[in-house]
Amino acid sequence: VLHMDRNDYYGGESTSLNLIQLWQRFRGTDKPPAHLGSSRDYNVDMIPKFIMANGALVRVLIHTDVTKYLYFKAVDGSFVFNKARVHKVPATDMEALKSPLMGIFEKRRARKFFIYVQNYDENDPKTHEGMDLTRVTTKELIAKYGLDDNTVDFIGHALALHRDDHYLHEPALDTVKRMKLYAESLARFQGGSPYIYPLYGLGELPQAFARLSAVYGGTYMLNKPECKVEFNEEGKVIGVMSEGETARCKKVVCDPSYLPNKVRKVGRVARAICIMSHPIPNTNDSHSVQVILPQKQLGRKSDMYLFCCSYSHNVAPKGKFIAFVSTEAETDHPEVELKPGIDLLGPVDEIFFDFCDRYEPVNEPSLDNCFISTSYDATTHFESTVVDVLNMYTMITGK
């Protein structure tokens, strides 16, 4: 494996920047102000995501043994925005009974639904209550429990982590599995949320894989400008050229930016990156937290996500918090779209806006031997990303 990168750091899009790099990227020449503290105490993720404690990425990290290069810490809280207020997400039948999100009768109905989901076992028809969840839609399953739209909203978006409402008309099995993943992840580390996050930020992930690759003889070349993929007359890849040298190869794996004519644009992510001196209000002073703003609550087509981490995960100096607001851009004025999320943050010391197009491959890898990943979406966890990576792995290796 030869790994070439036009950047002088690991991880491409999903790197973590220190303060000086952050200023260079968004402000050009300015120097960061002294009151923010030392540049190297900052590790600001360019693509903020948490890791489901019992999700697919954790299994991949354990399977590949990359965990020996990483330290994780649980994330304090998981919250949802409902009727203009921020609430803790109830994830079990016991929490449902305590949650101010629902009235007393709705709580009982929700509790019954949670118990059904907790007991559901794909391989044990006795737990199915006569429903085939590969056929019954989520909407039909929920109707059976008589839950109101408000409850459906937080179940679908804050527990099952769907990013829009298409899931209501799809088979319920996927949603039930997602709810189970949330509950299992919550139970795994006894934290206040189902998420974990690496110390020193997500930039540690690509570096950990780089270390592992090097142990097995992989070669890394950073800072290789103008990496150009070369093809033969049949359109099959034969190598990659940089600075007049060509490395010959049979297969190329890359992100969409290296082969722009083999991908198509599928959307745009809008993000605000904020440096603050306090946690997000109404989240029990959590040092690391996610708040989901379901689309319906904002009158949007897709959800918005608040993500906060701080010095407790070694991504900022003591007393500083880094918050992100992310969503799929729906208009030409993403700064305006992000406002409902930014308004929940309270005063910010500094704010940066980042807008990036999302791409997916349109090539046929069996013809050109190019394996292109799909761009990161706005969601705040890695489950969809891991599915993409595992699919690529299967295509590349045939197993």
Side-chain angles (χ1 to χ4, degrees), residues 93-381:
D93 56 289
M94 294 317 292
E95 286 195 340
L97 288 176
K98 289 191 284 225
S99 174
L101 277 167
M102 299 172 280
I104 184 96
F105 296 112
E106 183 69 3
K107 279 181 181 164
R108 289 184 198 156
R109 292 190 285 267
R111 180 167 180 253
K112 281 190 181 135
F113 178 60
F114 280 148
I115 290 172
Y116 172 74
V117 170
Q118 280 160 16
N119 294 338
Y120 183 87
D121 174 355
E122 231 177 319
N123 307 315
D124 178 3
K126 285 204 286 294
T127 65
H128 299 186
E129 294 188 7
M131 286 179 290
D132 176 357
L133 296 195
T134 59
R135 293 225 173 92
V136 175
T137 66
T138 312
K139 199 174 178 141
E140 290 165 341
L141 174 65
I142 285 169
K144 187 180 164 194
Y145 288 89
L147 301 176
D148 69 31
D149 286 352
N150 223 1
T151 308
V152 173
D153 216 25
F154 87 74
I155 286 175
H157 293 263
L159 283 179
L161 301 173
H162 290 290
R163 57 191 125 154
D164 54 41
D165 276 344
H166 292 317
Y167 74 95
L168 287 168
H169 311 289
E170 286 164 4
L173 184 59
D174 177 48
T175 295
V176 166
K177 281 184 167 166
R178 284 163 168 252
M179 287 178 70
K180 288 177 89 65
L181 172 62
Y182 190 102
E184 290 156 7
S185 296
L186 191 68
R188 187 159 180 183
F189 293 112
Q190 307 291 313
S193 83
Y195 309 107
I196 58 174
Y197 179 79
L199 294 183
Y200 304 104
L202 289 179
E204 292 295 294
L205 278 175
Q207 290 188 61
F209 277 101
R211 272 175 222 145
L212 186 77
S213 176
V215 168
Y216 288 102
T219 306
Y220 274 74
M221 295 171 136
L222 294 177
N223 224 345
K224 295 298 276 182
E226 273 99 56
C227 288
K228 188 169 170 298
V229 183
E230 308 223 317
F231 298 91
N232 64 13
E233 53 281 359
E234 290 163 18
K236 270 198 178 355
V237 72
I238 48 170
V240 178
M241 183 173 131
S242 172
E243 298 175 305
E245 295 179 301
T246 300
R248 302 220 158 268
C249 65
K250 294 197 180 109
K251 293 178 181 179
V252 160
V253 184
C254 64
D255 75 38
S257 66
Y258 287 92
L259 286 171
N261 58 347
K262 290 182 182 282
V263 297
R264 70 182 176 122
K265 182 176 163 181
V266 288
R268 192 162 177 236
V269 175
R271 221 174 256 121
I273 304 168
C274 307
I275 300 175
M276 316 196 296
S277 301
H278 58 87
I280 296 179
N282 307 314
T283 59
N284 305 340
D285 291 333
S286 300
H287 280 208
S288 53
V289 67
Q290 168 169 276
V291 185
I292 293 181
L293 290 72
Q295 47 165 65
K296 259 207 199 103
Q297 303 288 325
L298 305 174
R300 294 174 51 79
K301 294 194 208 59
S302 50
D303 291 359
M304 191 173 292
Y305 303 90
L306 299 191
F307 173 110
C308 175
C309 49
S310 67
Y311 57 95
S312 65
H313 276 97
N314 303 359
V315 296
K318 195 150 178 50
K320 294 290 177 195
F321 295 75
I322 298 171
F324 301 83
V325 184
S326 319
T327 193
E328 184 70 27
E330 295 174 6
T331 68
D332 296 332
H333 303 285
E335 293 98 333
V336 180
E337 289 184 60
L338 290 168
K339 190 175 179 325
I342 295 168
D343 287 348
L344 293 177
L345 297 178
V348 300
D349 304 345
E350 294 286 343
I351 186 165
F352 306 89
F353 288 100
D354 193 15
F355 310 117
C356 44
D357 292 337
R358 288 198 302 115
Y359 298 95
E360 66 181 20
V362 290
N363 66 316
E364 183 43 73
S366 60
L367 300 179
D368 59 12
N369 282 339
C370 295
F371 303 88
I372 308 170
S373 61
T374 299
S375 303
Y376 288 96
D377 54 37
T379 58
T380 47
H381 56 85

Side-chain angles (χ1 to χ4, degrees), residues 69-81:
Y69 302 110
L70 293 162
Y71 295 95
F72 291 96
K73 199 168 155 184
V75 170
D76 296 337
S78 175
F79 291 79
V80 63
F81 182 73

